[in-house]
């Protein structure tokens, strides 16, 4: 924030677009867009849809402004109009599916910007989302399917976000259906949940989920970085089948397209001193990350080694650890764990 306030708002705007579209970041682009909003509303209009490209990004943007971190707590006229316009671009089904997450919720955002419904279907949906009166006949089909399913939990599970279903009293059969329909990212994040609901006791389901996770095309489309996969790998329960943990390793290797190749001789020095065993989040009690600083350093080193086989990795703390060769053909998970063990 300090740096963003020192440079030209136009540069900050360009950086916000770059961070989202090239860097695939989630929080930083929203922060930078909020900085632009506080300085130049017209400039925000030029970048808004390129940075705020899904409902999660919209929640991030609104949350940051309301926090006062960029110097203001109100959205302002132009940002409100941009959010209204964004909501209008969503279909009824997309808007219904966006009703997940809090601080702020979609309901909070609708109350803040007061979008005007353009037809009776959208009017009914806004009424539904705001817990106001609405004409049930005018609700979109997905909302009707979801409400019908909630009544008796019978029939096909509607195609709604995972989070909308978790509060319901679902059976193991329901959870299998959810796992079958889960996106690649939902599968990566919810392996422990699937295990708790006996999805992974079915060998065919394990095979299907492992095939999905390790599919290079799906990994590429997900735009996932090795870090996210290593985090999933560190957090899976010990009861998760080896086939699935191996699939996470395969996916991590497939995600290396984002790692650069460097010309010439490359050295990576990895700090393995005691302080590096701290959680990357800092100490937050029960919500501290299992990912330690040394895990991140080791992962970066292992990823660079995989794309640059001549790389020399040098672990150090109070002295340099010499005589250790790392095999670039080993998975990045294997090399990262070896390095972290120092």
């Amino acid at each position: 924030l300090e740096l963003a306030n020192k440079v030209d708002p136009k540069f900050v705007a360009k950086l916000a677009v770059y961070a989202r579209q090239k860097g695939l970041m989630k929080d930083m682009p929203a922060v930078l867009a909020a900085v632009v909003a506080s300085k130049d509303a017209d400039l925000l209009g030029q970048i808004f849809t390129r940075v705020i490209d899904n409902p999660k990004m919209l929640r991030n943007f609104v949350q940051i402004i309301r926090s006062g971190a960029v110097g203001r707590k109100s959205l302002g006229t132009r940002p409100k109009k941009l959010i209204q316009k964004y909501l209008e671009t969503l279909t009824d089904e997309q808007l219904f599916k966006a009703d997940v997450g809090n601080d702020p919720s979609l309901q909070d955002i609708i109350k803040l910007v007061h979008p005007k419904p353009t037809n009776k279907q959208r009017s009914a949906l806004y009424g539904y989302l705001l817990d106001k009166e609405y004409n049930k006949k005018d609700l979109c089909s997905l909302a009707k399917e979801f409400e019908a399913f909630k009544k008796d939990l019978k029939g096909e599970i509607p195609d709604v976000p995972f989070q909308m279903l978790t509060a319901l009293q679902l059976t193991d059969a329901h959870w299998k259906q959810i796992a079958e329909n889960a996106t690649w990212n939902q599968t990566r994040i919810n392996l422990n949940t699937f295990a708790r609901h006996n999805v992974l006791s079915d060998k065919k389901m394990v095979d299907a989920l492992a095939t999905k996770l390790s599919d290079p095309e799906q990994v590429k489309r997900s735009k996932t970085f090795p870090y996210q996969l290593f985090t999933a790998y560190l957090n899976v329960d010990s009861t998760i089948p080896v086939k699935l943990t191996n699939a996470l390793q395969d996916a991590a290797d497939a995600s290396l397209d984002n790692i650069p190749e460097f010309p010439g001789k490359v050295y990576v020095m990895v700090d393995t001193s005691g302080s590096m065993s701290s959680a990357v989040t800092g100490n937050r009690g029960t919500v501290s990350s299992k990912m330690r600083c040394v895990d991140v350093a080791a992962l970066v080193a292992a990823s660079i080694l995989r794309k640059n086989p001549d790389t020399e990795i040098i672990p150090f703390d109070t002295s340099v650890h010499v005589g250790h060769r790392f095999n670039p053909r080993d998975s990045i998970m294997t090399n990262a764990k070896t390095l972290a063990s120092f």
Side-chain angles (χ1 to χ4, degrees), residues 10 17 41-50 78 82:
K10 193 171 182 180
V17 174
D42 290 336
L43 196 55
L44 178 68
Q46 293 179 46
I47 67 164
F48 191 81
T49 56
R50 299 171 69 187
R78 188 66 193 277
L82 289 168

Side-chain angles (χ1 to χ4, degrees), residues 34 58 110 174 190-191 211 223 257 267 330:
L58 178 63
I110 292 171
H174 286 135
N190 291 292
L191 289 176
T211 300
K223 298 179 179 177
D257 279 352
Y267 297 87
D330 280 346

Side-chain angles (χ1 to χ4, degrees), residues 53 98 104 188 254:
D53 56 7
R188 168 180 69 86

Side-chain angles (χ1 to χ4, degrees), residues 101 174 248 262:
H174 286 135
L248 286 173
F262 300 114

